[in-house]
Amino acid sequence: MLKKMQLKKHAMTAISYMLPLVVAAGLLIAIGNLTGGSQITNFKNGYSIPSALTTLGVWGMGLLAPVISAAIAYSIADRPGIAPGLLSGIISYNIGAGFLGGMLGGFLTGWLVAFLVKYIKVPKWAEGLVPMMIIPLLSSLIMGILMFFVVGQPIVWATNALTSFLNSMQGSARFAFGAILGGMAAFDFGGPVNKVASLFADGLLLEGVKQPEAVKILASMVPPFGVTLSWVLSKLFKHKIYTQEEEDNIKVAFPMGIVMITEGVIPLAAVDLIRMVVACSIGAAVGGGLSMTWGVESPVPSGGLFIVPAMNKPLLFLVALVIGSVVTGLILFAWKKVPSKTDEKLETGEPEEDINLDDIQIS
């Protein structure tokens, strides 16, 4: 049943629409704050460019619930879902249901619009009114009532409870939360599990909880940095653990990691999945736990090392990043197998029949 509803497909579509807005708005807030700006509350008085940037970024963040709601509704019901989806998201934002309310509102709106498109029958002369007036009006009326009086308030309570719980966490609880979120963000190198962690962190950012965003950023950089460190150690100690092709991939993965692109590690994980996943997840979990424990906050959801100055504790973030990367690097250096002669000969193009079977290592 859930597979038929394609929840993951619609959520991923919404994320692809939402991410550019999240990044642009977050960076505007960071640039504005770093240059001395603040949110404008009275436009009749004079205001500076930094304050204008900060305000624009805050407004952009306010659009996230409407955008994700409309994007999900569009993914389910095509263009008729956009208008009622936007309205459901606006309701969610203004009543305090936030990001979670926007997601749920988007799914409900999409399914409702798809149902109305399929089953509403009108006279021939009124068919032209169906997509332009009848369906948008009916779906907006129904979703408005649902979001205001039925669905919205329980989500507000749940969102407030979650926010209060995260803000009240101390000590080991904070470390455990950061470790779980960090491990998830690094687990599949930008795949579905990473997207779930990112979505969760982005949603909390809208509620003013900024520590998970820092964990997400850190965990996205630990895999490429940790892998690079393990390669450097292998060179220093003359202990070969990577084939030439893998070393070439690492040289590409490292600069990608600087800008928080984890996918550069995928070619390495494809040939040694278990070791890569375990090492990267553990390193990201340790770094994420430390970042959360130390209260590192990021007002920006993406950008890698370039947005570290915008964080409240940039030095502690870098310490957590280094520790997580070192953990990953050491695990890989100690655990990863030396390439077999089979791998080396295949890599250089030598024919397989020249390979001595006695040289093959079973890893």
Side-chain angles (χ1 to χ4, degrees):
M1 178 65 179
L2 288 176
K3 185 176 180 180
K4 188 175 180 181
M5 293 167 75
Q6 296 183 302
L7 299 181
K8 176 184 168 183
K9 171 183 175 292
H10 302 314
M12 291 299 107
T13 299
I15 290 171
S16 69
Y17 281 102
M18 179 194 72
L19 280 179
L21 177 60
V22 172
V23 173
L27 288 173
L28 285 169
I29 293 173
I31 294 169
N33 288 341
L34 287 171
T35 52
S38 60
Q39 187 174 358
I40 302 168
T41 55
N42 186 353
F43 286 89
K44 292 182 180 179
N45 299 328
Y47 46 84
S48 63
I49 291 178
S51 293
L53 296 178
T54 300
T55 304
L56 181 58
V58 171
W59 288 353
M61 286 296 186
L63 290 173
L64 294 185
V67 166
I68 198 167
S69 178
I72 291 173
Y74 168 74
S75 180
I76 296 171
D78 211 346
R79 282 184 296 175
I82 294 176
L86 283 170
L87 293 177
S88 296
I90 288 172
I91 294 171
S92 177
Y93 172 73
N94 283 288
I95 67 175
F99 178 76
L100 295 177
M103 285 196 72
L104 182 58
F107 280 111
L108 293 176
T109 301
W111 293 330
L112 173 64
V113 171
F115 175 84
L116 294 176
V117 168
K118 184 175 181 180
Y119 290 105
I120 280 187
K121 306 297 179 185
V122 297
K124 192 76 173 176
W125 60 268
E127 286 181 353
L129 299 176
V130 172
M132 294 295 295
M133 184 180 74
I134 297 174
I135 288 179
L137 178 60
L138 273 178
S139 56
S140 297
L141 279 171
I142 295 170
M143 284 308 304
I145 293 171
L146 284 176
M147 292 300 294
F148 272 119
F149 300 105
V150 181
V151 176
Q153 287 307 316
I155 297 178
V156 172
W157 299 332
T159 301
N160 290 340
L162 177 62
T163 303
S164 299
F165 171 72
L166 292 175
N167 285 328
S168 65
M169 284 194 307
Q170 300 294 329
S172 59
R174 293 180 69 84
F175 183 89
F177 175 82
I180 292 170
L181 186 64
M184 288 179 64
F187 178 76
D188 55 354
F189 315 110
V193 177
N194 168 277
K195 291 295 189 293
V196 169
S198 297
L199 203 59
F200 184 68
D202 294 343
L204 290 173
L205 180 62
L206 299 182
E207 308 305 322
V209 183
K210 301 174 183 177
Q211 296 97 327
E213 208 66 80
V215 173
K216 180 193 83 173
I217 293 169
L218 178 147
S220 297
M221 291 191 285
V222 162
F225 288 178
V227 168
T228 303
L229 178 61
S230 70
W231 172 60
V232 171
L233 290 173
S234 74
K235 293 295 186 183
L236 287 175
F237 290 94
K238 294 181 172 53
H239 174 59
K240 191 171 180 64
I241 58 175
Y242 293 107
T243 65
Q244 185 58 51
E245 184 179 356
E246 287 175 319
E247 291 181 0
D248 292 340
N249 286 328
I250 290 172
K251 294 172 186 176
V252 175
F254 178 73
M256 292 174 70
I258 292 174
V259 290
M260 201 181 141
I261 300 175
T262 318
E263 285 82 351
V265 179
I266 290 176
L268 299 161
V271 296
D272 197 355
L273 183 63
I274 303 249
R275 293 183 182 90
M276 281 291 172
V277 168
V278 171
C280 292
S281 297
I282 291 175
V286 172
L290 291 174
S291 174
M292 193 76 189
T293 301
W294 294 337
V296 180
E297 299 179 352
S298 174
V300 186
S302 185
L305 289 180
F306 294 101
I307 52 88
V308 172
M311 296 181 181
N312 66 328
K313 299 175 181 178
L315 291 179
L316 284 178
F317 174 84
L318 292 175
V319 171
L321 175 61
V322 168
I323 292 173
S325 301
V326 167
V327 170
T328 293
L330 291 176
I331 292 174
L332 285 173
F333 178 69
W335 190 20
K336 198 169 186 335
K337 294 291 185 181
V338 179
S340 67
K341 292 184 180 180
T342 303
D343 294 330
E344 297 288 0
K345 289 186 178 182
L346 288 175
E347 214 173 67
T348 56
E350 295 183 35
E352 288 187 61
E353 54 268 22
D354 290 339
I355 299 171
N356 190 335
L357 293 178
D358 293 333
D359 292 331
I360 298 177
Q361 298 178 9
I362 299 174
S363 49

